mmCIF file of all heavy atoms in Angstrom:
data_model
loop_
_atom_site.group_PDB
_atom_site.id
_atom_site.type_symbol
_atom_site.label_atom_id
_atom_site.label_comp_id
_atom_site.label_asym_id
_atom_site.label_seq_id
_atom_site.Cartn_x
_atom_site.Cartn_y
_atom_site.Cartn_z
ATOM 1 N N ASP A 17 -5.691 -16.941 -5.497
ATOM 2 C CA ASP A 17 -6.152 -16.722 -6.842
ATOM 3 C C ASP A 17 -5.208 -15.805 -7.647
ATOM 4 O O ASP A 17 -5.395 -15.688 -8.866
ATOM 5 C CB ASP A 17 -7.536 -16.058 -6.815
ATOM 6 C CG ASP A 17 -8.631 -16.996 -6.291
ATOM 7 O OD1 ASP A 17 -8.366 -18.218 -6.300
ATOM 8 O OD2 ASP A 17 -9.696 -16.533 -5.905
ATOM 9 N N TYR A 18 -4.263 -15.157 -6.971
ATOM 10 C CA TYR A 18 -3.349 -14.227 -7.631
ATOM 11 C C TYR A 18 -1.933 -14.799 -7.740
ATOM 12 O O TYR A 18 -1.017 -14.068 -8.168
ATOM 13 C CB TYR A 18 -3.315 -12.926 -6.864
ATOM 14 C CG TYR A 18 -4.622 -12.199 -6.781
ATOM 15 C CD1 TYR A 18 -5.478 -12.381 -5.675
ATOM 16 C CD2 TYR A 18 -5.080 -11.373 -7.778
ATOM 17 C CE1 TYR A 18 -6.693 -11.758 -5.562
ATOM 18 C CE2 TYR A 18 -6.308 -10.715 -7.695
ATOM 19 C CZ TYR A 18 -7.095 -10.917 -6.570
ATOM 20 O OH TYR A 18 -8.298 -10.278 -6.485
ATOM 21 N N ILE A 19 -1.718 -16.039 -7.364
ATOM 22 C CA ILE A 19 -0.351 -16.513 -7.221
ATOM 23 C C ILE A 19 0.437 -16.485 -8.528
ATOM 24 O O ILE A 19 1.643 -16.151 -8.536
ATOM 25 C CB ILE A 19 -0.352 -17.966 -6.633
ATOM 26 C CG1 ILE A 19 1.061 -18.343 -6.130
ATOM 27 C CG2 ILE A 19 -0.935 -18.959 -7.593
ATOM 28 C CD1 ILE A 19 1.524 -17.513 -4.965
ATOM 29 N N ASP A 20 -0.205 -16.762 -9.645
ATOM 30 C CA ASP A 20 0.514 -16.720 -10.918
ATOM 31 C C ASP A 20 0.923 -15.268 -11.258
ATOM 32 O O ASP A 20 2.040 -15.035 -11.737
ATOM 33 C CB ASP A 20 -0.352 -17.296 -12.057
ATOM 34 C CG ASP A 20 -0.543 -18.765 -11.931
ATOM 35 O OD1 ASP A 20 0.293 -19.434 -11.252
ATOM 36 O OD2 ASP A 20 -1.526 -19.336 -12.461
ATOM 37 N N GLN A 21 0.029 -14.331 -11.017
ATOM 38 C CA GLN A 21 0.357 -12.908 -11.250
ATOM 39 C C GLN A 21 1.472 -12.435 -10.327
ATOM 40 O O GLN A 21 2.382 -11.742 -10.739
ATOM 41 C CB GLN A 21 -0.881 -12.057 -11.052
ATOM 42 C CG GLN A 21 -1.976 -12.260 -12.062
ATOM 43 C CD GLN A 21 -3.260 -11.537 -11.659
ATOM 44 O OE1 GLN A 21 -4.158 -12.091 -11.083
ATOM 45 N NE2 GLN A 21 -3.293 -10.246 -11.955
ATOM 46 N N ILE A 22 1.407 -12.846 -9.065
ATOM 47 C CA ILE A 22 2.426 -12.426 -8.078
ATOM 48 C C ILE A 22 3.801 -12.922 -8.524
ATOM 49 O O ILE A 22 4.801 -12.211 -8.477
ATOM 50 C CB ILE A 22 2.041 -12.956 -6.693
ATOM 51 C CG1 ILE A 22 0.842 -12.239 -6.142
ATOM 52 C CG2 ILE A 22 3.231 -12.807 -5.729
ATOM 53 C CD1 ILE A 22 0.256 -12.845 -4.867
ATOM 54 N N ASN A 23 3.855 -14.159 -8.942
ATOM 55 C CA ASN A 23 5.157 -14.767 -9.309
ATOM 56 C C ASN A 23 5.733 -14.199 -10.603
ATOM 57 O O ASN A 23 6.898 -14.455 -10.948
ATOM 58 C CB ASN A 23 5.021 -16.278 -9.412
ATOM 59 C CG ASN A 23 4.904 -16.941 -8.035
ATOM 60 O OD1 ASN A 23 5.390 -16.389 -7.028
ATOM 61 N ND2 ASN A 23 4.241 -18.065 -7.965
ATOM 62 N N LYS A 24 4.924 -13.410 -11.325
ATOM 63 C CA LYS A 24 5.483 -12.742 -12.527
ATOM 64 C C LYS A 24 6.024 -11.347 -12.166
ATOM 65 O O LYS A 24 6.631 -10.695 -13.031
ATOM 66 C CB LYS A 24 4.380 -12.588 -13.553
ATOM 67 C CG LYS A 24 3.969 -13.922 -14.220
ATOM 68 C CD LYS A 24 2.829 -13.738 -15.224
ATOM 69 C CE LYS A 24 2.390 -15.081 -15.794
ATOM 70 N NZ LYS A 24 1.245 -14.933 -16.708
ATOM 71 N N THR A 25 5.834 -10.893 -10.915
ATOM 72 C CA THR A 25 6.400 -9.613 -10.502
ATOM 73 C C THR A 25 7.777 -9.835 -9.875
ATOM 74 O O THR A 25 8.174 -10.982 -9.633
ATOM 75 C CB THR A 25 5.467 -8.936 -9.472
ATOM 76 O OG1 THR A 25 5.403 -9.726 -8.256
ATOM 77 C CG2 THR A 25 4.062 -8.762 -10.022
ATOM 78 N N LYS A 26 8.495 -8.788 -9.637
ATOM 79 C CA LYS A 26 9.878 -8.873 -9.121
ATOM 80 C C LYS A 26 9.942 -9.248 -7.657
ATOM 81 O O LYS A 26 10.887 -9.897 -7.217
ATOM 82 C CB LYS A 26 10.606 -7.565 -9.350
ATOM 83 C CG LYS A 26 10.833 -7.211 -10.823
ATOM 84 C CD LYS A 26 11.689 -5.961 -10.935
ATOM 85 C CE LYS A 26 12.058 -5.685 -12.424
ATOM 86 N NZ LYS A 26 12.947 -4.512 -12.533
ATOM 87 N N ALA A 27 8.972 -8.817 -6.889
ATOM 88 C CA ALA A 27 8.975 -9.055 -5.449
ATOM 89 C C ALA A 27 7.634 -8.662 -4.898
ATOM 90 O O ALA A 27 6.859 -7.932 -5.542
ATOM 91 C CB ALA A 27 10.105 -8.264 -4.753
ATOM 92 N N VAL A 28 7.354 -9.109 -3.671
ATOM 93 C CA VAL A 28 6.172 -8.714 -2.923
ATOM 94 C C VAL A 28 6.624 -7.664 -1.894
ATOM 95 O O VAL A 28 7.348 -7.960 -0.972
ATOM 96 C CB VAL A 28 5.516 -9.904 -2.181
ATOM 97 C CG1 VAL A 28 4.332 -9.431 -1.361
ATOM 98 C CG2 VAL A 28 5.066 -10.952 -3.195
ATOM 99 N N ILE A 29 6.208 -6.422 -2.133
ATOM 100 C CA ILE A 29 6.558 -5.314 -1.238
ATOM 101 C C ILE A 29 5.491 -5.214 -0.154
ATOM 102 O O ILE A 29 4.332 -5.196 -0.443
ATOM 103 C CB ILE A 29 6.647 -3.996 -2.022
ATOM 104 C CG1 ILE A 29 7.625 -4.110 -3.197
ATOM 105 C CG2 ILE A 29 7.064 -2.852 -1.084
ATOM 106 C CD1 ILE A 29 9.061 -4.397 -2.807
ATOM 107 N N MET A 30 5.978 -5.179 1.102
ATOM 108 C CA MET A 30 5.097 -5.160 2.263
ATOM 109 C C MET A 30 5.272 -3.886 3.080
ATOM 110 O O MET A 30 5.930 -3.867 4.099
ATOM 111 C CB MET A 30 5.361 -6.418 3.111
ATOM 112 C CG MET A 30 5.332 -7.691 2.299
ATOM 113 S SD MET A 30 6.003 -9.134 3.130
ATOM 114 C CE MET A 30 4.559 -9.736 3.981
ATOM 115 N N PRO A 31 4.684 -2.784 2.601
ATOM 116 C CA PRO A 31 4.800 -1.517 3.351
ATOM 117 C C PRO A 31 4.046 -1.589 4.657
ATOM 118 O O PRO A 31 3.038 -2.249 4.784
ATOM 119 C CB PRO A 31 4.205 -0.450 2.392
ATOM 120 C CG PRO A 31 3.311 -1.251 1.502
ATOM 121 C CD PRO A 31 3.889 -2.617 1.367
ATOM 122 N N ALA A 32 4.567 -0.822 5.634
ATOM 123 C CA ALA A 32 3.962 -0.795 6.995
ATOM 124 C C ALA A 32 3.857 -2.207 7.536
ATOM 125 O O ALA A 32 2.859 -2.588 8.153
ATOM 126 C CB ALA A 32 2.590 -0.137 6.977
ATOM 127 N N PHE A 33 4.913 -2.986 7.377
ATOM 128 C CA PHE A 33 4.982 -4.400 7.800
ATOM 129 C C PHE A 33 4.754 -4.465 9.301
ATOM 130 O O PHE A 33 5.656 -4.137 10.105
ATOM 131 C CB PHE A 33 6.366 -4.928 7.440
ATOM 132 C CG PHE A 33 6.575 -6.383 7.702
ATOM 133 C CD1 PHE A 33 5.984 -7.338 6.910
ATOM 134 C CD2 PHE A 33 7.439 -6.800 8.729
ATOM 135 C CE1 PHE A 33 6.246 -8.711 7.152
ATOM 136 C CE2 PHE A 33 7.717 -8.135 8.970
ATOM 137 C CZ PHE A 33 7.070 -9.097 8.171
ATOM 138 N N PRO A 34 3.549 -4.872 9.754
ATOM 139 C CA PRO A 34 3.183 -4.769 11.171
ATOM 140 C C PRO A 34 3.552 -6.000 11.932
ATOM 141 O O PRO A 34 2.981 -7.088 11.681
ATOM 142 C CB PRO A 34 1.676 -4.521 11.151
ATOM 143 C CG PRO A 34 1.220 -5.211 9.907
ATOM 144 C CD PRO A 34 2.385 -5.264 8.956
ATOM 145 N N ILE A 35 4.429 -5.918 12.887
ATOM 146 C CA ILE A 35 4.823 -7.064 13.709
ATOM 147 C C ILE A 35 3.809 -7.192 14.839
ATOM 148 O O ILE A 35 3.826 -6.452 15.819
ATOM 149 C CB ILE A 35 6.262 -6.841 14.233
ATOM 150 C CG1 ILE A 35 7.208 -6.637 13.066
ATOM 151 C CG2 ILE A 35 6.692 -8.079 15.056
ATOM 152 C CD1 ILE A 35 8.570 -6.150 13.494
ATOM 153 N N ARG A 36 2.889 -8.137 14.650
ATOM 154 C CA ARG A 36 1.768 -8.293 15.591
ATOM 155 C C ARG A 36 1.583 -9.814 15.845
ATOM 156 O O ARG A 36 1.621 -10.609 14.912
ATOM 157 C CB ARG A 36 0.448 -7.760 15.017
ATOM 158 C CG ARG A 36 0.500 -6.347 14.534
ATOM 159 C CD ARG A 36 0.410 -5.335 15.612
ATOM 160 N NE ARG A 36 0.186 -4.002 15.052
ATOM 161 C CZ ARG A 36 1.188 -3.220 14.649
ATOM 162 N NH1 ARG A 36 2.440 -3.617 14.748
ATOM 163 N NH2 ARG A 36 0.909 -2.025 14.178
ATOM 164 N N ASP A 37 1.289 -10.172 17.055
ATOM 165 C CA ASP A 37 1.081 -11.585 17.387
ATOM 166 C C ASP A 37 -0.418 -11.874 17.380
ATOM 167 O O ASP A 37 -1.030 -12.119 18.398
ATOM 168 C CB ASP A 37 1.668 -11.845 18.783
ATOM 169 C CG ASP A 37 2.656 -13.035 18.771
ATOM 170 O OD1 ASP A 37 2.641 -13.740 17.759
ATOM 171 O OD2 ASP A 37 3.363 -13.176 19.745
ATOM 172 N N VAL A 38 -1.033 -11.863 16.183
ATOM 173 C CA VAL A 38 -2.471 -12.079 16.139
ATOM 174 C C VAL A 38 -2.980 -13.379 15.572
ATOM 175 O O VAL A 38 -4.193 -13.600 15.659
ATOM 176 C CB VAL A 38 -3.154 -10.910 15.399
ATOM 177 C CG1 VAL A 38 -3.033 -9.619 16.183
ATOM 178 C CG2 VAL A 38 -2.607 -10.736 14.013
ATOM 179 N N PRO A 39 -2.279 -14.321 14.989
ATOM 180 C CA PRO A 39 -0.825 -14.301 14.705
ATOM 181 C C PRO A 39 -0.510 -13.442 13.507
ATOM 182 O O PRO A 39 -1.430 -12.957 12.810
ATOM 183 C CB PRO A 39 -0.532 -15.770 14.456
ATOM 184 C CG PRO A 39 -1.773 -16.266 13.837
ATOM 185 C CD PRO A 39 -2.893 -15.544 14.526
ATOM 186 N N MET A 40 0.769 -13.357 13.190
ATOM 187 C CA MET A 40 1.187 -12.539 12.038
ATOM 188 C C MET A 40 0.830 -13.217 10.724
ATOM 189 O O MET A 40 0.353 -12.593 9.781
ATOM 190 C CB MET A 40 2.669 -12.232 12.147
ATOM 191 C CG MET A 40 3.073 -11.035 11.357
ATOM 192 S SD MET A 40 4.682 -10.476 11.788
ATOM 193 C CE MET A 40 4.848 -9.176 10.534
ATOM 194 N N TYR A 41 1.105 -14.524 10.689
ATOM 195 C CA TYR A 41 0.736 -15.304 9.503
ATOM 196 C C TYR A 41 0.213 -16.649 9.958
ATOM 197 O O TYR A 41 0.834 -17.340 10.738
ATOM 198 C CB TYR A 41 1.935 -15.545 8.580
ATOM 199 C CG TYR A 41 1.696 -16.666 7.578
ATOM 200 C CD1 TYR A 41 0.898 -16.453 6.480
ATOM 201 C CD2 TYR A 41 2.247 -17.924 7.781
ATOM 202 C CE1 TYR A 41 0.638 -17.498 5.556
ATOM 203 C CE2 TYR A 41 2.017 -18.975 6.901
ATOM 204 C CZ TYR A 41 1.232 -18.743 5.810
ATOM 205 O OH TYR A 41 0.964 -19.781 4.893
ATOM 206 N N PRO A 42 -1.000 -17.039 9.499
ATOM 207 C CA PRO A 42 -1.952 -16.172 8.786
ATOM 208 C C PRO A 42 -2.732 -15.349 9.790
ATOM 209 O O PRO A 42 -3.160 -15.846 10.817
ATOM 210 C CB PRO A 42 -2.855 -17.188 8.067
ATOM 211 C CG PRO A 42 -2.838 -18.384 8.990
ATOM 212 C CD PRO A 42 -1.476 -18.431 9.612
ATOM 213 N N GLY A 43 -2.891 -14.099 9.481
ATOM 214 C CA GLY A 43 -3.572 -13.200 10.392
ATOM 215 C C GLY A 43 -3.438 -11.812 9.828
ATOM 216 O O GLY A 43 -4.274 -11.327 9.052
ATOM 217 N N VAL A 44 -2.367 -11.093 10.255
ATOM 218 C CA VAL A 44 -2.060 -9.808 9.619
ATOM 219 C C VAL A 44 -1.884 -10.015 8.126
ATOM 220 O O VAL A 44 -2.353 -9.220 7.309
ATOM 221 C CB VAL A 44 -0.800 -9.185 10.241
ATOM 222 C CG1 VAL A 44 -0.410 -7.921 9.524
ATOM 223 C CG2 VAL A 44 -1.011 -8.919 11.724
#
């Protein structure tokens, strides 16, 4: 639901990017 807003920003910042096999995407 936010994709249009996201694409108007400069980048997607992912602080504390957790490398987890839960899986990571989609999951974390």
